[in-house]
Amino acid sequence: MSELPLIAVTDSATCPRPLAEQIERLAKLTELRPQAVILRAKALDKAAYRTLALQAQQSCEAACIPLILHSDWQLASELGIQNLHLPLALLRQLPTYERAHFTWLSTSVHSVDEAIEAQALGATVLIAGHIYTTQCKAGLAPRGLGFLQAVCSTVSLPVYAIGGIGFDTAQHAELQANGSRGACVMSAYMRL
């Protein structure tokens, strides 16, 4: 089994069952257990996302797995969730005084300049991608390991790789060798 910490990222498009049910399944894993779950559900409106977040919070808390909300910092504050992932455009808009409420504040970066900016904006973790070819970015060339290494060597924050990552220990070793502190896995976790 991999020594690289893995974060499950939810995606209703690749999940064969409702996300709440899938999160419950992930929470019960012993092998391949995720370090955390990023609750990404772009197709849901605010009310449906709130309902899903409450269900996910219950499942994750019962399993002692941190839940990371995606995009909705007000909901995270309301539910007492201190882990948040914001796209860089939303991180730029997050009021400075709100950033202190989150112990985990990650953002996605797609260039070294974005990584530098995200660090200056108060992110605590960067998610860099996409590293490998992935169905989610069909037709778009991956940024590759050189990009990952450049980001990791430029910032002092932990960097998690994303994009085309599964449960392959050789792949995980390659990511670690290029500076990654962990990896985000979407499709492989959604299909478990």
Side-chain angles (χ1 to χ4, degrees):
M1 191 159 93
S2 171
E3 296 301 314
L4 189 69
L6 302 178
I7 293 176
V9 181
T10 63
D11 177 41
S12 57
T14 59
C15 190
R17 61 191 59 83
L19 288 181
E21 187 180 324
Q22 187 64 17
I23 292 166
E24 182 71 28
R25 290 169 65 101
L26 295 178
K28 292 177 179 172
L29 290 175
T30 49
E31 195 172 325
L32 299 175
R33 182 181 177 88
Q35 172 197 1
V37 174
I38 295 179
L39 189 62
R40 178 181 169 273
K42 293 181 177 184
L44 298 182
D45 63 25
K46 274 189 168 288
Y49 185 80
R50 185 181 194 284
T51 299
L52 178 60
L54 286 166
Q55 293 168 325
Q57 184 178 29
Q58 188 174 24
S59 296
C60 289
E61 282 180 359
C64 298
I65 296 173
L67 177 65
I68 303 168
L69 292 195
H70 191 288
S71 298
D72 194 335
W73 64 267
Q74 295 98 334
L75 179 61
S77 292
E78 176 193 332
L79 299 181
I81 295 173
Q82 296 180 315
N83 306 307
L84 180 66
H85 177 84
L86 294 176
L88 187 55
L90 292 180
L91 179 61
R92 290 177 183 132
Q93 297 170 18
L94 182 67
T96 305
Y97 65 89
E98 290 292 344
R99 294 177 190 149
H101 295 181
F102 300 103
T103 54
W104 172 288
L105 182 58
S106 58
T107 193
S108 302
V109 297
H110 307 97
S111 70
V112 169
D113 287 345
E114 286 183 357
I116 293 167
E117 179 186 2
Q119 182 170 270
L121 288 171
T124 61
V125 177
L126 302 182
I127 297 178
H130 67 287
I131 304 305
Y132 300 105
T133 301
T134 175
Q135 299 280 346
C136 298
K137 306 280 186 190
L140 191 60
R143 289 184 174 81
L145 294 168
F147 160 74
L148 177 63
Q149 189 175 53
V151 168
C152 292
S153 64
T154 302
V155 295
S156 60
L157 299 176
V159 177
Y160 280 60
I162 194 168
I165 300 167
F167 302 127
D168 180 341
T169 54
Q171 184 187 54
H172 296 177
E174 192 173 63
L175 293 170
Q176 282 181 304
N178 284 279
S180 188
R181 296 274 283 284
C184 295
V185 177
M186 190 163 58
S187 298
Y189 268 129
M190 292 300 96
R191 293 185 184 121
L192 276 181

